[in-house]
């Protein structure tokens, strides 16, 4: 029976449509898409017209997990959760050697709990999964959805924001941040950010872990709830170098050297397309009155993050200077749909109406 409180979001980040959708590759599931679900379309051992969950009871942890995945795909969330629990029991004494497998099982069982509205059980399993393997996208998204349903909006906001540190292109996390922003604004007023718990900083190693695999080497037999590892070191090195260059650009901005900062952001973007580098470079362009370039950078940032506040605001500023008042007002209105009480945006809107 679902706990009383806020109803589950209409489109949960974890929501699996596996029972009605064709099978997707592992690469297609990396961005918070459906799971659990078998990593390959092969059935569990013994699966067939007469298969029942109990038939997998004597098998290995992996066979129990596959059987659980099959039940989940059929919409049998209770039996699936039971099978994941049996697999976890088999691995209870395995220690660190089975940490990742246990984390996957906990994340899968959490998906079952969330489907059935057992949000506190979902939170508990996600916490267990993240303790074993920190910064897992699926347990973070599922825990965020459970917190949201329980009206723990601050905790949900933190989880959604953490996911975006790992991968800023996950739309369900952006949507979650927007919903939580509105809910917290209504609940706590304009100072809602001051009441937030700390948002953890995601290390480069975790970002590397959740990188998408190369198209030239698609992953096979990837377990639900996890992603491929062992990407070439140059991927992580490139991301880290991009971050260093961006930070150097930030320091140059503080010193007022906007031209040199643009060079740093440009080098950073060659290595890693990131929203913040685009919006930071746009700020430099605005300062140097290179308004067309600022518009281009903000547009690029919005392609990566369609709800980016800074990109909307800075593009509106640039468009105002270019005397494209209609487009500038449209950007401010889009921003205000996300943050209705953004004072800087409201002030700019008044200026635009007088222009």
């Amino acid at each position: 029976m679902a706990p009383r409180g806020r109803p589950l979001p209409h489109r949960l980040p974890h929501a699996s449509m596996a029972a009605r959708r064709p099978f997707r590759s592992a690469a297609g599931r990396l961005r918070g898409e459906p799971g659990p679900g078998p990593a390959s379309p092969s059935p569990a051992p013994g699966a067939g017209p007469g298969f029942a969950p109990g038939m997998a009871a004597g098998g290995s942890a992996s066979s129990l997990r596959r059987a659980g995945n099959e039940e989940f795909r059929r919409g049998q969330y209770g039996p699936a959760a039971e099978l994941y629990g049996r697999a976890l029991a088999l691995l209870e004494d395995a220690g660190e050697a089975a940490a990742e497998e246990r984390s996957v099982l906990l994340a899968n069982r959490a998906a079952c709990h969330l489907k059935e509205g057992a949000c506190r059980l979902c939170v508990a399993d996600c916490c267990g999964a993240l303790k074993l393997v920190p910064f897992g996208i699926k347990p973070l998204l599922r825990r965020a959805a459970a917190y949201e349903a329980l009206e723990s909006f601050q905790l949900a906001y933190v989880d959604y924001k953490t996911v975006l540190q790992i991968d800023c292109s996950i739309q369900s996390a952006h949507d979650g941040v927007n919903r939580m922003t509105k809910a917290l604004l209504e609940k706590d007023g304009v100072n809602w950010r001051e009441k937030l718990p700390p948002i953890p900083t995601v290390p480069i190693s975790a970002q590397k872990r959740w990188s998408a695999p190369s198209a030239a080497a698609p992953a096979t037999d990837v377990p639900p709830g996890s992603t491929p590892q062992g990407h070439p070191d140059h991927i992580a090195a490139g991301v880290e170098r991009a971050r260093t260059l961006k930070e150097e650009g930030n320091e140059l901005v503080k010193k007022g050297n906007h031209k040199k900062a643009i060079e740093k952001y440009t080098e950073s973007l060659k290595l890693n397309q990131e929203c913040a580098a685009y919006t930071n470079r746009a700020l430099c362009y605005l300062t140097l009155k290179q308004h067309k370039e600022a518009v281009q950078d903000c547009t690029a940032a919005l392609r990566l993050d369609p709800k980016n506040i800074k990109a909307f605001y800075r593009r509106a500023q640039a468009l105002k200077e270019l005397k494209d008042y209609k487009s500038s007002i449209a950007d401010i209105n889009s921003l205000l749909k996300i943050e209705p009480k953004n004072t800087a945006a409201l002030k700019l809107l008044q200026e635009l109406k007088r222009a």
Side-chain angles (χ1 to χ4, degrees):
M1 183 173 180
R4 297 182 63 184
R6 187 180 179 87
L8 289 170
H10 176 66
R11 186 170 183 173
L12 291 171
H14 81 291
S16 175
M17 298 292 289
R20 298 189 295 276
R21 289 183 181 172
F23 169 73
R24 287 179 178 262
S25 68
R29 292 201 305 269
L30 286 175
R31 306 192 184 281
E33 288 196 27
S40 67
S42 58
F51 177 73
M55 292 172 65
S60 65
S62 59
S63 65
L64 286 164
R65 175 166 60 85
R66 289 194 296 270
N69 294 345
E70 192 66 26
E71 291 300 298
F72 189 97
R73 290 207 315 164
R74 293 168 50 206
Q76 302 299 311
Y77 306 121
E82 183 182 354
L83 286 161
Y84 295 139
R86 290 178 185 173
L88 282 163
L90 290 178
L91 297 173
E92 189 173 350
D93 299 324
E96 287 298 315
E100 185 159 350
E101 177 72 0
R102 288 160 61 206
S103 179
V104 170
L105 287 163
L106 285 165
N108 287 2
R109 192 170 67 179
C112 299
H113 293 322
L114 193 57
K115 279 287 192 180
E116 295 193 317
C119 295
R120 289 183 174 83
L121 291 176
C122 174
V123 167
D125 274 356
C126 289
C127 289
L130 291 164
K131 185 176 180 180
L132 290 165
V133 180
F135 303 112
I137 287 180
K138 288 189 177 182
L140 279 168
L141 284 172
R142 287 164 188 167
R143 188 172 71 178
Y147 279 144
E148 184 174 350
L150 294 167
E151 299 188 3
S152 298
F153 301 135
Q154 293 176 337
L155 296 174
Y157 180 91
V158 168
D159 276 353
Y160 285 131
K161 289 292 282 188
T162 302
V163 168
L164 291 176
Q165 286 187 70
I166 302 166
D167 187 341
C168 75
S169 70
I170 295 179
Q171 189 59 47
S172 60
H174 286 295
D175 293 342
V177 166
N178 294 334
R179 288 195 304 272
M180 295 307 93
T181 298
K182 292 176 183 176
L184 289 167
L185 195 58
E186 292 174 6
K187 181 182 177 184
D188 298 327
V190 293
N191 297 321
W192 63 271
R193 292 181 188 274
E194 298 174 7
K195 301 179 182 180
L196 286 175
I199 298 173
T201 300
V202 178
I204 287 290
S205 58
Q207 293 187 31
K208 173 188 174 185
R209 174 184 172 80
W210 297 105
S211 296
S214 165
T220 57
D221 197 30
V222 180
S226 72
T227 52
Q229 299 186 55
H231 302 293
D233 288 342
H234 74 268
I235 296 176
V239 172
E240 190 164 4
R241 176 61 180 156
R243 178 174 290 189
T244 299
L245 287 163
K246 183 186 70 175
E247 290 172 355
E248 290 174 3
N250 295 347
E251 290 301 315
L252 288 164
V253 169
K254 292 176 185 177
K255 295 175 183 177
N257 193 342
H258 294 93
K259 288 185 178 180
K260 191 69 176 176
I262 286 172
E263 293 177 13
K264 294 291 184 181
Y265 294 135
T266 301
E267 290 300 312
S268 176
L269 286 164
K270 287 178 182 177
L271 296 169
N272 185 38
Q273 302 259 315
E274 186 188 1
C275 298
Y278 276 118
T279 55
N280 291 359
R281 191 171 68 173
L283 177 62
C284 295
Y285 283 136
L286 280 169
T287 304
L288 298 172
K289 301 189 184 304
Q290 294 177 243
H291 301 116
K292 290 182 180 179
E293 290 83 355
V295 168
Q296 290 171 356
D297 271 4
C298 292
T299 301
L302 288 165
R303 287 195 200 102
L304 295 171
D305 176 5
K307 304 293 178 69
N308 190 288
I309 295 293
K310 289 182 179 178
F312 275 127
Y313 182 73
R314 290 172 184 169
R315 189 168 71 175
Q317 287 179 302
L319 290 166
K320 176 176 177 281
E321 296 302 320
L322 292 168
K323 302 190 184 305
D324 187 351
Y325 302 124
K326 184 177 179 180
S327 297
S328 183
I329 289 171
D331 274 351
I332 291 298
N333 286 334
S334 296
L335 188 161
L336 291 172
K337 288 179 182 178
I338 302 166
E339 284 192 8
K341 297 184 180 180
N342 186 300
T343 53
L346 290 167
K347 182 180 177 181
L348 181 56
L349 183 59
Q350 291 303 314
E351 293 174 6
L352 287 163
K353 288 180 177 178
R354 292 194 297 268

